[in-house]
Amino acid sequence: MEYIKNRFYEKTSKCISEYQKLRKEHGDKVLTEVTIGQVLTGMKGIPALITDTSKLDANEGIRFRGFSIPELRKQLPRLNPEGEPLPEGLFYLMLVGEIPEEEDVINISKDWATRAHVPQHVFDVIDAMPKTARPMTQFSAAIVAMATESVFQKAYRSGIHKKYYWDFMYDDVMNLIARLPRIAAYIYRRVYFKDKHIEPDPRLDWAGNLAHMMGHDSDEVKRLMRLYMMIHADHEGGNVSAHTTHLVGSALSNPYYALGAGMLGLAGPLHGYANQDVINWIFEMLEDLNTNEPTKEQIEGYVQRTLQAGRVVPGYGHAVLRVTDPRFTAQKEFADKYIKEDKLVNIVNTLYEVVPPILGSVGKISNPWPNVDAYSGALLYHYGIKEHPFYTVLFGVSRSMGVLASLIMDRLYGLPIERPSSYPLEWFKEQANTK
Ligand code: HAX
């Protein structure tokens, strides 16, 4: 599918000289002051990274190349008028910077289908682990094991000129994204379905094929999977999975290493693990309250007890957002439209009424509103994907699209190795006392 690579290069290559010009001519320009508070709270708000694929606004949520999620749900090509857009279209938008034609999207689908072969040794690496190993452990290990296939690594060792790095990176990225659904589904079937694996169907789209290989072949699950894969794909460059992928890639590690590292960041409870933790926490609550249909008052009491125990309420809060996450809203709209009655969905909806005022009243929590993870588990569970320790793997399959599209651009721009400075705590104390 060389024309998409060419189109990306035509659209983006002018940025190489723009980047070089900025670096040479405006390198001394002061962007912003950095406060001690920003450093001590996780480098919040410091403009420190170049990411073109998407931008997060605290009060509006994510925009992919300028388009909001509701706009994209209307404008990106879909298989039928009632369905959700194909995530392949979002990948094209993030990479090339324009809304694709239907033909472009179909072509990416076909291209990924032809690249989807996973080498046997990757399955062997997965099979060597106990089935009790966390699905994200198996997923990250499989990704790193697949680095044997890296064309970028081979080209680098053969001494290619740095201006061609992006080209090899592109091929690695397309291969890697194409193979992730097969790896994810293999882990799912291995752990939960006694190794009864399902072969890919190359006629299906990327997300539809993932649902198929997991054994959830209905149109409803495929529709949900397309939405899920779209909304989790990217959240600008500073979140843990995106930043880690970029950072590791900046050492010219191949994309398999970079994404493997990013996925291990996604596996943390404050990031992508939250999508399974929401369900864990709700089930703990139901057990504690000894009911499947808790009242609003009972839920309020449990939220208060969670906070008193020094725990976080999973699915709520965000490092950047200060409103309800539009990815939460997209999923709620999906549930409102397609799900008539579901106890778990009802609880998630009640939590949306109950949690924000309680978190807001604590005083120190910057954002009391729900994030993407507050809803996704209830939707998956409703459609029969009940194995919640697996949920973060689905997030990871989707997130690969944004972070890897960015990685191609990192190499096209020729971004250098990333190396911020660190100081002892004593230095910050001294800074605090100097005028
Ligand atoms: N429940 C209880 N306390 C919370 C909270 C929540 N949902 N969200 C924030 N806080 C607490 C913090 O733990 C922190 O407490 P301390 O000062 O005692 O350390 C305080 O409020 C200030 O934190 P903040 O500035 O509001 O939030 P951060 O930017 O530090 O952290 C997090 C953002 C998303 C990590 C945080 O809100 C959180 O832990 N939420 C619950 C876990 C979660 O849903 N994570 C997924 C986020 C979205 C994502 O990345 N998905 O993959």
Side-chain angles (χ1 to χ4, degrees):
M1 215 43 62
E2 286 296 295
Y3 86 87
I4 290 177
K5 190 199 263 187
N6 294 340
R7 200 171 284 173
F8 159 71
Y9 185 70
E10 275 162 30
K11 293 278 286 180
T12 317
S13 55
K14 68 173 186 330
C15 302
I16 305 171
S17 54
E18 289 168 1
Y19 166 76
Q20 293 295 351
K21 189 170 156 50
L22 274 171
R23 210 170 137 169
K24 267 200 195 107
E25 296 175 17
H26 303 282
D28 293 335
K29 170 108 183 171
V30 176
L31 280 179
T32 180
E33 287 183 340
V34 175
T35 64
I36 291 181
Q38 282 179 295
V39 176
L40 300 193
T41 56
M43 300 193 281
K44 303 278 163 56
I46 302 174
L49 297 161
I50 304 174
T51 305
D52 289 339
T53 46
S54 66
K55 179 73 194 131
L56 182 57
D57 180 87
N59 297 309
E60 219 197 7
I62 190 70
R63 279 185 180 268
F64 299 87
R65 294 281 193 172
F67 294 94
S68 68
I69 287 177
E71 286 164 356
L72 290 178
R73 285 179 83 196
K74 286 200 190 98
Q75 293 185 41
L76 283 177
R78 60 192 73 230
L79 287 177
N80 64 60
E82 269 301 293
E84 293 292 327
L86 295 186
E88 288 89 327
L90 178 65
F91 177 76
Y92 181 102
L93 172 69
M94 289 191 288
L95 187 72
V96 179
E98 59 190 32
I99 298 276
E101 299 295 333
E102 194 176 320
E103 191 196 353
D104 302 318
V105 173
I106 302 293
N107 281 336
I108 294 185
S109 257
K110 285 188 184 154
D111 184 39
W112 286 353
T114 61
R115 293 173 183 264
H117 174 75
V118 175
Q120 182 56 43
H121 76 270
V122 175
F123 297 128
D124 294 343
V125 165
I126 297 172
D127 287 338
M129 277 182 269
K131 285 188 177 171
T132 49
R134 309 282 314 167
M136 279 303 273
T137 308
Q138 301 186 43
F139 189 56
S140 318
I143 291 169
V144 175
M146 211 156 47
T148 47
E149 311 306 295
S150 173
V151 291
F152 170 74
Q153 189 167 280
K154 285 191 190 85
Y156 184 84
R157 290 204 186 130
S158 75
I160 48 146
H161 193 286
K162 55 171 76 169
K163 70 180 176 194
Y164 302 121
Y165 287 169
W166 75 270
D167 196 334
F168 293 93
M169 190 62 80
Y170 177 94
D171 279 319
D172 267 354
V173 162
M174 295 301 257
N175 290 339
L176 182 42
I177 296 176
R179 291 167 188 170
L180 291 176
R182 177 83 166 111
I183 293 174
Y186 188 89
I187 295 165
Y188 182 71
R189 300 291 302 181
R190 171 175 191 252
V191 175
Y192 304 108
F193 294 87
K194 299 186 176 152
D195 284 299
K196 291 197 180 111
H197 297 293
I198 299 172
E199 290 296 313
D201 179 347
R203 293 164 304 176
L204 287 172
D205 57 293
W206 185 72
N209 215 353
L210 170 58
H212 160 72
M213 288 184 284
M214 287 172 64
H216 296 278
D217 237 330
S218 69
D219 287 346
E220 286 77 17
V221 176
K222 288 186 185 132
R223 177 169 56 202
L224 172 66
M225 201 59 89
R226 290 178 194 120
L227 174 72
Y228 189 103
M229 290 294 134
M230 194 178 97
I231 60 177
H232 290 83
D234 207 31
H235 223 217
E236 72 167 45
N239 67 76
V240 171
S241 51
H243 190 185
T244 308
T245 306
H246 162 80
L247 171 66
V248 174
S250 85
L252 297 186
S253 299
N254 67 63
Y256 297 88
Y257 289 176
L259 185 71
M263 290 300 102
L264 291 170
L266 188 72
L270 298 189
H271 195 13
Y273 178 90
N275 70 359
Q276 39 180 302
D277 218 13
V278 167
I279 301 299
N280 294 336
W281 179 83
I282 291 176
F283 285 163
E284 271 174 32
M285 171 175 78
L286 298 182
E287 202 180 320
D288 185 80
L289 300 173
N290 199 19
T291 170
N292 280 332
E293 292 177 86
T295 62
K296 211 171 150 181
E297 290 69 31
Q298 284 176 310
I299 296 179
E300 276 167 352
Y302 195 77
V303 172
Q304 296 284 13
R305 290 204 291 285
T306 300
L307 295 176
Q308 280 152 17
R311 297 171 63 191
V312 295
V313 179
Y316 282 78
H318 201 272
V320 179
L321 282 168
R322 295 295 174 259
V323 289
T324 296
D325 190 335
R327 302 172 299 173
F328 174 94
T329 308
Q331 295 178 93
K332 185 168 180 344
E333 281 169 12
F334 187 96
D336 291 346
K337 186 166 172 189
Y338 294 116
I339 298 177
K340 295 270 168 297
E341 181 58 32
D342 182 294
K343 285 185 182 145
L344 196 53
V345 170
N346 290 345
I347 291 171
V348 165
N349 286 335
T350 310
L351 284 166
Y352 187 29
E353 290 172 37
V354 163
V355 175
I358 297 179
L359 295 188
S361 68
V362 172
K364 67 173 179 179
I365 299 174
S366 316
N367 177 40
W369 301 104
N371 58 57
V372 65
D373 300 314
Y375 224 101
S376 59
L379 283 180
L380 292 168
Y381 206 91
H382 173 83
Y383 286 103
I385 304 173
K386 299 190 171 175
E387 302 77 10
H388 40 98
F390 181 75
Y391 290 172
T392 312
V393 174
L394 292 175
F395 194 152
V397 174
S398 167
R399 181 52 58 97
S400 72
M401 288 193 291
V403 301
L404 292 177
S406 282
L407 206 59
I408 303 173
M409 287 176 236
D410 290 355
R411 297 292 76 80
L412 182 75
Y413 292 168
L415 298 189
I417 190 161
E418 198 169 286
R419 182 48 171 100
S421 291
S422 67
Y423 294 86
L425 184 63
E426 202 54 40
W427 182 84
F428 287 99
K429 280 164 58 189
E430 282 161 23
Q431 299 306 306
N433 293 326
T434 48
K435 286 209 169 165

